[in-house]
């Protein structure tokens, strides 16, 4: 693959904050960006040269997008895999490819992929009917987490089952959709890694972040996570296996449970830039967004060394109303997503920005 | 002045790389940006929510711009002061105000302002005719630098006179325009400071940068400049005098000659973000672009502490063709401006990007 020349146009499917930050990184490298998404005046469109406002199954719009862009990527994993196939059919170069999407969009395929490559996961069972669920509970035990196989993020589409008599309500809460029952991991910490792979197979990882979730939504990431250096050999082994197994081109995030013995279970693969990698914007010279652009553009991978320990805190819902006060904090940088806030104020739990606080700097 | 709310629109007159980087910083703080400038698909428009393509004297377009924007600033000092007056007439809030432009657009007024405030400059004389020039040479001596009073940047609109018999050619080279003859400063280094002042009168300076020019164009800035801490009391005194004397709101750059005794002569005031402040993008958490946006938005000023020594190198003309190779350097970050390059290749000396190389990091 020839490296994309300056001034080339990179397309991004999806118009949210990840598309916005990808777009800003692409511009910094001298590319133009075209956003494809459903909303006018979206976070990503506000900072991009071009925007096509359309649904993901609008073939005429996809054709225009394919013609406009030299390479196309995406900012979220729930873009229909068929949409990528359509773009490829129109002659577009797409990275990452549809295969990575197919595997990671389906929690059963994802865990099957991990196990098939010798990567540990929690025990799990497929749930297609209420009978399946009862059987799964007998095998997995309780408490266990029932999740839809597809879609679902930030704690949506999942419900804990603590007692057998909660099974029916849980099944109904997910609308009887194809699901997965996952055993509870007895973990001591949750960590994640941002990994990247270029067209030429070269790959890199960033230092590990430690994550804290509140009500299923990421609240903070601390990175490089104290004491996590010992995990890097395992993490690098898993990350390279995943990247190669998916023939991946671009950045992905992998979330892990760390068991008390120091072993890792893969929790989830996000085939895109990831909220747990936002710390790289102010802890590294090449952040995850620029890294992803480098990968899809066929440019050399960037430096992943951290020059500071960063605590990233998501600004959810009403947190954003403190933006002005947060901006006055020294040793920190505020990132706001440009989402419109209605007259009724910010919706609880909605990701509206984040702040990176530098906790300590290192000599280079 | 009430702080601008998230989602407000900031207007920028001028559509080049400074407008581009201002726009990206404004977006990061949650503002929308409208660019006003003469060119379609300009560096700034590529990354901004709105763009009005028009001449600076197009009153109808300025009216639309005033209506669209909650506050208006500018990215270069050669925007006609009348243009700001027109916008103010249409009810726009403008920062910095027209007074700063008037003083700094005219080298005679600028040096007069400095002297009137007790700030040293090289000796100079006003040149309105060839007779004036001959008289000025007798007073100032040779070599001396003849510059147009207005406009002129990056070594344009200026010519050295080394011998008396070069005077006529120099005068003609500037087209007989109103000019200034400046004595040559016997300096040991050229330094500059980026300073900022908010609506409330609070002001800050960044650490000093040492600059190297090649053929009148900035080539590199090293900041914080080694051994320049001793200059900070003088620099802060001058910067605060300039900011207050101009009732300035926003970021400005001041260039100095350092004499061998350690005294400073003010060379030039740029009432805008400045090329010698590009190092702040990767050496500070609040760079000069975000700082300017904070000032004009009435937000609290940001942290100006450097957490690394940065060498900024401009990528001029064909330098940009090495972008792909430069991107592979560790400890550095590339910034490309998105200017279109014609089939004949990049024009010599044109500013097309810069690279910030981190030379050492500090503990926070």
């Amino acid at each position: 693959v020839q490296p994309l020349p300056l001034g080339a146009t990179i397309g991004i499917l999806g118009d949210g904050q990840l598309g916005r930050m990808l777009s800003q990184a692409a511009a910094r490298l001298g590319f133009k960006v075209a956003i494809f998404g459903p909303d006018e005046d979206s976070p990503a469109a506000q900072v991009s040269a071009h925007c096509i406002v359309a649904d993901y199954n609008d073939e005429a719009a996809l054709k225009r997008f394919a013609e406009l862009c030299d390479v196309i990527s995406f900012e979220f994993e729930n873009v229909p895999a068929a949409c990528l196939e359509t773009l490829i059919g129109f002659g577009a170069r797409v990275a990452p490819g549809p295969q990575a999407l197919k595997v990671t969009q389906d929690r059963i395929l994802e865990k099957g992929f991990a196990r098939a490559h010798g990567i540990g996961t929690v025990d799990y069972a497929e749930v297609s009917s209420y009978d399946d669920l009862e059987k799964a509970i007998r095998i997995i035990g309780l408490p266990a987490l029932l999740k839809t196989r597809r879609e679902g993020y930030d704690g949506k589409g999942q419900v804990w089952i603590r007692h057998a008599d909660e099974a029916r309500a849980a099944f109904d809460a997910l609308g009887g959709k194809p699901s997965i029952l996952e055993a509870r991991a007895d973990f001591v910490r949750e960590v994640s890694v941002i990994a990247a792979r270029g067209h030429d197979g070269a790959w890199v990882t960033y230092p590990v972040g430690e994550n804290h979730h509140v009500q299923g939504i990421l609240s903070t990431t601390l990175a490089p996570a104290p004491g996590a250096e010992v995990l890097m050999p395992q993490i690098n082994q898993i990350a390279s296996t995943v990247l190669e197994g998916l023939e991946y081109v671009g950045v992905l995030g992998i979330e892990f449970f760390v068991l008390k013995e120091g072993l890792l279970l893969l929790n989830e693969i996000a085939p895109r830039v990831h909220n747990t990698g936002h710390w790289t914007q102010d802890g590294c010279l090449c952040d995850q967004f620029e890294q992803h652009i480098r990968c899809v553009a066929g440019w050399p991978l960037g430096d992943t060394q951290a020059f500071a320990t960063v605590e990233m805190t998501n600004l959810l819902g009403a947190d954003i109303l403190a933006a002005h006060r947060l901006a006055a904090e020294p040793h920190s940088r505020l990132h706001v997503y440009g989402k419109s806030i209605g007259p009724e104020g910010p919706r609880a739990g909605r990701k509206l920005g984040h702040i990176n606080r530098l906790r300590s700097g290192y000599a280079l």
Side-chain angles (χ1 to χ4, degrees), chain A:
Chain A
V1 174
Q2 284 294 310
L4 218 56
L6 296 180
T9 298
I10 296 180
I12 297 169
L13 288 160
D15 56 15
Q17 67 267 21
L18 301 179
R20 178 184 178 92
M21 294 184 278
L22 283 168
S23 180
Q24 292 202 306
R28 209 169 52 230
L29 290 180
F31 300 115
K32 290 178 191 168
V33 175
I35 299 297
F36 190 108
D39 295 319
E40 298 274 2
D41 190 34
S42 63
Q46 286 168 27
V47 299
S48 299
H50 307 284
C51 181
I52 294 178
V53 178
D55 286 331
Y56 296 112
N57 54 12
D58 179 337
E59 290 223 355
L62 289 171
K63 184 158 194 286
R64 273 190 294 139
F65 192 53
E67 285 161 1
L68 179 62
C69 300
D70 297 292
V71 62
I72 293 173
S73 190
F74 47 87
E75 61 133 30
F76 73 128
E77 65 270 41
N78 292 323
V79 58
C83 171
L84 292 197
E85 306 280 12
T86 303
L87 289 167
I88 291 167
F90 289 135
R93 191 173 127 194
V94 171
Q99 179 60 16
L101 263 191
K102 274 182 208 148
V103 171
T104 56
Q105 278 179 343
D106 183 319
R107 296 179 203 282
I108 296 287
L109 296 186
E110 184 178 80
K111 287 203 164 48
F113 167 86
R115 291 279 180 105
H117 287 82
I119 301 167
T121 71
V122 292
D123 286 335
Y124 66 96
E126 195 175 331
V127 174
S128 304
S129 65
Y130 184 69
D131 273 2
D132 282 352
L133 178 56
E134 291 199 318
K135 231 177 294 175
I137 289 174
R138 283 195 296 273
I139 296 164
I140 305 282
L142 290 180
L145 188 56
L146 186 67
K147 293 178 177 176
T148 55
R149 276 180 71 157
R150 305 177 66 86
E151 310 197 333
Y153 62 94
D154 288 351
K156 288 171 198 160
Q158 58 181 60
V159 52
W160 278 101
I161 304 177
R162 286 182 174 77
H163 303 284
D165 59 6
E166 294 169 0
R168 171 57 74 179
F171 187 77
D172 291 345
L174 299 191
K177 284 185 190 159
S179 300
I180 180 173
L181 189 72
E182 298 182 358
R184 186 175 65 175
D186 189 18
F187 62 87
V188 292
R189 66 203 293 203
E190 287 184 276
V191 301
S192 60
V193 72
I194 302 297
R197 183 171 175 269
H199 282 282
D200 59 357
W203 61 274
V204 290
T205 52
Y206 286 86
V208 166
E210 173 164 342
N211 306 313
H212 293 275
H213 292 81
V214 175
Q215 297 182 314
I217 306 179
L218 182 68
S219 172
T220 63
T221 300
L222 181 68
E229 301 78 8
V230 296
L231 300 173
M232 282 316 293
Q234 256 191 101
I235 296 252
N236 280 329
Q237 174 63 43
I238 294 172
S240 63
T241 302
V242 168
L243 290 166
E244 278 158 28
L246 296 174
E247 296 178 50
Y248 199 82
V249 173
V251 159
L252 54 70
I254 311 176
E255 293 183 283
F256 299 94
F257 298 122
V258 185
L259 305 184
K260 61 179 183 300
E261 301 79 7
L263 280 180
L264 294 171
L265 299 182
L266 182 147
N267 178 29
E268 204 170 298
I269 304 168
R272 53 170 169 81
V273 288
H274 196 245
N275 197 166
T276 66
H278 290 0
W279 71 272
T280 60
Q281 292 177 304
D282 299 302
C284 302
L285 277 167
C286 175
D287 67 30
Q288 65 166 347
F289 302 100
E290 180 173 328
Q291 194 74 270
H292 185 73
I293 297 297
R294 284 168 176 255
C295 291
V296 304
W299 278 41
L301 298 190
D303 193 354
T304 60
Q305 185 190 335
F307 56 80
T309 296
V310 179
E311 185 179 72
M312 188 289 306
T313 301
N314 272 333
L315 302 176
L316 304 173
D319 295 349
I320 202 70
L321 302 177
H324 182 253
R325 181 174 54 70
L326 294 170
E329 280 189 24
H331 291 182
S332 71
R333 203 153 69 127
L334 183 65
H335 299 261
V336 183
Y337 303 154
K339 295 183 185 176
S340 57
I341 296 170
E344 69 292 349
R347 199 179 70 223
R350 193 169 181 222
K351 290 179 177 173
L352 297 171
H354 64 273
I355 184 166
N356 281 333
R357 295 183 172 101
L358 269 62
R359 291 307 187 201
S360 65
Y362 312 139
L364 285 178

